[in-house]
Amino acid sequence: MRDYELTFIVRILPSDEEVNQAIDQVISFIELGDNGVVKNVDRKIFGRRRLAYQIGGQREGHYVLIRAAIQADHIHELETELKLFDPVLRYLLVREEGEVKQPA
């Protein structure tokens, strides 16, 4: 597994509970079938912000940062899920620098 940072923007939803459900769904995409382990979820570091430009009719969004260890062969499937998941407006998945952890 390698360490990744996933930053994504959740569209403005009618309630905070729905936003949290969308974030929990993204976490489940990462952890699907023991392919990833979420280390840290930061829902409030950026919070609700105005977007630089309109995306899908939205002018604001909730920014979320997740740090996770993910299997390399799961990345493509994860990105596909994120692209198809309607509450996510945009995402950026970046591999953190450092050592590659070998399986035990």
Side-chain angles (χ1 to χ4, degrees), residues 51-65:
L51 304 175
Y53 53 90
Q54 191 169 343
I55 303 172
Q58 299 283 304
R59 297 295 284 152
E60 292 185 337
H62 293 277
Y63 284 73
V64 181
L65 173 66

Side-chain angles (χ1 to χ4, degrees), residues 6 8-11 13 17-30 64 66 77-91:
L6 172 63
F8 60 99
I9 305 170
V10 178
R11 71 177 55 253
L13 297 170
E17 183 178 323
E18 290 180 75
V19 171
N20 287 329
Q21 288 174 351
I23 295 168
D24 291 340
Q25 183 64 43
V26 171
I27 291 170
S28 71
F29 292 155
I30 293 170
V64 181
I66 295 178
E77 180 181 353
L78 173 61
E79 288 186 325
T80 301
E81 292 288 349
L82 290 169
K83 288 175 188 173
L84 296 175
F85 190 48
D86 189 51
V88 174
L89 293 173
R90 291 285 189 272
Y91 73 91

Side-chain angles (χ1 to χ4, degrees), residues 31-69:
E31 295 178 336
L32 183 68
D34 295 328
N35 286 314
V37 177
V38 173
K39 296 178 177 183
N40 184 20
V41 179
D42 197 339
R43 300 168 192 248
K44 301 293 181 190
I45 191 168
F46 299 113
R48 184 174 174 162
R49 299 264 179 166
R50 184 166 177 80
L51 304 175
Y53 53 90
Q54 191 169 343
I55 303 172
Q58 299 283 304
R59 297 295 284 152
E60 292 185 337
H62 293 277
Y63 284 73
V64 181
L65 173 66
I66 295 178
R67 288 188 175 89

